[in-house]
Amino acid sequence: MVLIISSMLTRSQIGFYLEDIETPIGRTVNLTLTGLILLSSASFIAETYPLAEAIRINLETLDTALLVVFAIEYLVRLWCADNKFKFVFSFFSIVDLVAVIPFLLGFVNVSFIRIFRWFRILRLIRFV
């Protein structure tokens, strides 16, 4: 998907749309990401309740899919950054990184990191 998009748009254009909220494309990208963050948060909250095993499996699958999307988004933002060092140590980048640590660690048993899923909610600050 990134390869298809990158052949149509330049790195700077993709970076622009990831930050932009004024143009229709930028607004769509950012509203979609906001919706995914809210969906991820709702899934996390739902998993705290006693649920049937089938529902729990569906929620875990959804969470894994969202985690992959957020990891790809992080990597695309890193790729688009003019100053990668500055990007990696920026507040929003650190929040994004902490939110996707379970994926970047390769799905090892990171149950102790589950609390980091709440950092996804902090990602909403980016869109305010």
Side-chain angles (χ1 to χ4, degrees):
M1 180 171 108
V2 173
L3 295 175
I4 294 169
I5 292 171
S6 66
S7 68
M8 294 184 295
L9 298 172
T10 65
R11 185 177 73 134
S12 62
Q13 288 173 315
I14 293 170
F16 172 78
Y17 288 128
L18 284 171
E19 300 298 328
D20 176 53
I21 58 170
E22 300 298 324
T23 64
I25 293 172
R27 195 172 313 122
T28 300
V29 167
N30 285 289
L31 286 174
T32 300
L33 289 171
T34 300
L36 293 175
I37 293 166
L38 292 173
L39 180 61
S40 174
S41 301
S43 170
F44 179 67
I45 292 168
E47 287 180 25
T48 64
Y49 290 95
L51 299 168
E53 188 62 25
I55 294 172
R56 185 165 303 285
I57 290 171
N58 287 338
L59 288 174
E60 288 173 2
T61 302
L62 173 66
D63 187 59
T64 301
L66 292 172
L67 198 53
V68 169
V69 169
F70 295 145
I72 290 170
E73 179 212 357
Y74 179 84
L75 294 173
V76 169
R77 285 183 187 275
L78 177 63
W79 176 69
C80 291
D82 291 329
N83 184 339
K84 307 233 185 298
F85 183 81
K86 184 178 176 183
F87 171 80
V88 168
F89 291 103
S90 71
F91 173 75
F92 291 120
S93 176
I94 291 170
V95 169
D96 289 349
L97 183 60
V98 169
V100 299
I101 276 178
F103 178 74
L104 297 178
L105 290 178
F107 293 108
V108 295
N109 185 4
V110 289
S111 56
F112 67 95
I113 296 180
R114 290 180 68 82
I115 193 69
F116 289 148
R117 291 170 65 183
W118 282 107
F119 276 84
R120 295 180 197 170
I121 294 172
L122 286 177
R123 298 182 69 216
L124 292 174
I125 295 170
R126 176 190 306 272
F127 305 113
V128 176

